[in-house]
Amino acid sequence: MDSGGSGLRVALAEAASGAVLGTRATREPVRTGPGGISARHFLDQVLPAVAALTEPHGSRPLVAVAVGAAGMATLGDELRAALPGALAAAWGVRRLALAADAVTAYAGALGQRPGAVVAGGTGMIALGTDLAGWRRADGWGHLLGDCGSGAWIGRAGLDAAMRAYDGRRGGSAALLARAEQLFGPVAGLPGALYPRTDRPAVLASFAPEVGRCAAEDPVAADVLARAAGHIAEAAAAVCPAGPGALVALTGGLFRMGDPLLVPLRTALRELLPHARTTDPAGDPLAGAVTLAAALATGTLRLPEDGTLLCLHGDGTD
């Protein structure tokens, strides 16, 4: 199961091979309340989805479940308290992994090999492991971090637009024009932006405009070069030492293409000369399938952690 800001996805797979038999998805994100991520709302969506997936397969039992959820590390207390008992009662399943979405992104991208994964979108987090423990860098939100993320790039691009509007150094007329095309007169942007609860997403919506300007505008190109440096620094902070480590980039941020990826590859070579960049093998739902299949077959190598990856059942609880 993969629970994120755009909804919930569920996959049913063969325990032995990990081959996916079917998937279901909802468009409604799991709610977050005073107790964190709502276990009741999660179950209200998951139980009928799993029933629909398993019904064609008769009496074959569910052997293991893996849940990856955005916010699990900091907002997952209710899920960690409620799901082991609820899923055991619903399906008789005893082997359960509750993971942060960064862990399922890692497992989807690299499987159970040592290395580092940078997950970039509106926010940005880097996660690495030597299979003995986890290391994370950034993922602190748009006010305290997420350096190099879509929100960071968009905010830096809008800063350059406002500088051009004011006549200050560091401004970009090209980004000012793009900002006014997207948001209207920029003098009204603070009043339109600051009251919104989705400010990171609004900032990130301007990141593609920075990418489109980068080929002709040195200010936009410099924004992306600085973003690449931040991303490479986060990867270097979590990547295990020694030759042969893998680094994967996953998430919508990297669909920006060469304007970001060219300086990022250069920065990664400088900071991580011992590591090799590789394409991600799969997405976070594929990572949840990897975790569940490994639990089912007793082959899990990724390290347990109190908040990032909690295991229940078969003596792990």
Side-chain angles (χ1 to χ4, degrees), residues 14-44:
E14 291 276 1
S17 66
V20 174
L21 303 174
T23 62
R24 289 287 188 276
T26 72
R27 293 184 178 180
E28 183 181 5
V30 177
R31 298 185 194 117
T32 300
I37 303 168
S38 169
R40 183 69 266 161
H41 192 226
F42 179 89
L43 290 167
D44 285 345

Side-chain angles (χ1 to χ4, degrees), residues 3-5 8 29-43 45 67-83 98-101 307:
S3 175
L8 179 71
V30 177
R31 298 185 194 117
T32 300
I37 303 168
S38 169
R40 183 69 266 161
H41 192 226
F42 179 89
L43 290 167
Q45 295 192 66
V67 176
M72 180 73 81
T74 54
L75 299 171
D77 286 349
E78 188 174 315
L79 291 184
R80 285 188 285 268
L83 291 193
L98 299 177
D101 59 340
T307 55

Side-chain angles (χ1 to χ4, degrees), residues 49-163:
V50 172
L53 284 170
T54 56
E55 194 267 338
H57 300 281
S59 60
R60 297 173 68 184
L62 286 175
V63 181
V65 172
V67 176
M72 180 73 81
T74 54
L75 299 171
D77 286 349
E78 188 174 315
L79 291 184
R80 285 188 285 268
L83 291 193
L87 299 187
W91 306 321
V93 67
R94 298 292 177 183
R95 282 175 264 189
L96 171 66
L98 299 177
D101 59 340
V103 171
T104 49
Y106 185 101
L110 293 183
Q112 300 199 81
R113 297 176 288 177
V117 169
V118 179
T122 297
M124 198 281 295
I125 186 170
L127 193 67
T129 183
D130 56 3
L131 303 185
W134 293 101
R135 295 185 67 181
R136 66 166 280 178
D138 215 333
W140 303 122
H142 75 292
L143 292 178
L144 298 177
D146 285 355
C147 298
S149 68
W152 187 96
I153 291 170
R155 195 260 181 226
L158 288 171
D159 174 78
M162 303 308 288
R163 286 176 177 274

